[in-house]
Amino acid sequence: MSAHRTRGGLRAAGLAVPVAAALHAAPAVSAFGPLRNRLMPRLAGQGRRDHVALTFDDGPDHLSTPHFLRVLEERQIRATFFLLGSMLIRSPGLAREMAAAGHEIALHGWAHRPLLFRGPRATREDLARGRDLLADVLGEPPRLFRPPYGVMTTGAHLACRELDLIPVLWTAWGEDWRARATPRSIHDTVMTSLRGGGTVLLHDSDCTSATGSWRVTLRALPRLLDTFGARGWETGPLRDHGGPYPRRPARSPSSAVSAPTALYNG
């Protein structure tokens, strides 16, 4: 009887491991763009039809991000920047400048590592570390989170709920991290899948991309903005995107590094 019970326990344990792994990885299906856009509009970043949310990942980078800020300032356009804690700790002053300029600051985690290969505890620690640093630097915690590589897990969803973060992916990207990307390919790739109400993903840093790729993205940006305008779409951050996304007013330069202000309404 004891041997029988032992064998039964081993079989149960053997089944538990793949079941737990499947539960952990199940949300990763949202990384498939067409499925996400059709069935998960909130996670895909779909908002009001006359608006396009412009977002950038992987900064702040003191070598590249200021160039993007200048283009956006010339166009009087604000965007959402998903920052990495490992980059923010090197350039906290730049992040304050971004917030002071009216851009929305969100979290991309601390380290750009796939959450699919990290357990719930490590995932929560990564998100909490990045969130806390953003709160220290900017005076208020972020409300939006985008996972590295766009891959969510059960642990990531649980950590977001605990840390009061809303996960947001994208509806269109430019594949601008690739070494073979060109300004035209970035523009055309975005416009192939973008519709009014969509969220665009670009990168203002090459810290996880092909070396120098940010320069190509920078050259593509004005044409993209022109195309958005020609389609009759307003371009702005996720806070102005409508739909399920919380709104927090842009701060003036004088309040950008002061004590925490009111959190998002809604």
Side-chain angles (χ1 to χ4, degrees), residues 52-209:
V52 167
L54 180 62
T55 71
F56 295 90
D57 284 7
D58 291 357
D61 190 324
H62 70 280
L63 295 176
S64 55
T65 302
H67 296 280
F68 290 86
L69 298 179
R70 279 194 288 271
V71 171
L72 295 174
E73 182 60 31
E74 290 170 359
R75 299 292 189 106
Q76 291 296 294
I77 288 174
R78 305 295 176 256
T80 300
F81 287 84
F82 287 87
L83 306 189
L84 287 168
S86 57
M87 295 294 286
L88 173 62
I89 200 168
R90 304 176 190 177
S91 302
L94 177 55
R96 294 188 188 101
E97 292 176 16
M98 296 161 71
H103 298 290
E104 182 176 32
I105 307 301
L107 177 66
H108 199 29
W110 183 273
H112 203 278
R113 299 173 185 167
L115 298 182
L116 194 60
F117 305 114
R118 310 191 78 184
R121 177 178 296 178
T123 295
R124 189 202 176 280
E125 290 175 353
D126 183 281
L127 269 63
R129 188 180 181 191
R131 182 205 61 172
D132 292 348
L133 178 60
L134 270 171
D136 288 343
V137 170
L138 300 180
E140 58 189 1
R143 285 296 310 278
L144 303 179
F145 167 70
R146 175 174 288 159
Y149 305 104
V151 177
M152 290 292 291
T153 63
T154 297
H157 279 291
L158 292 174
C160 283
R161 181 176 299 180
E162 181 181 349
L163 299 172
D164 196 23
L165 294 166
I166 299 173
V168 184
L169 300 185
W170 58 87
T171 57
W173 60 4
E175 297 187 356
D176 57 336
W177 66 89
R178 299 177 184 271
R180 65 174 181 267
T182 66
R184 180 171 182 175
S185 75
I186 293 170
H187 174 275
D188 292 350
T189 301
V190 168
M191 297 312 302
T192 295
S193 55
L194 184 63
R195 304 292 182 270
T199 291
V200 176
L201 164 62
L202 298 172
H203 295 80
D204 63 307
S205 170
D206 63 3
C207 68
T208 66
S209 306

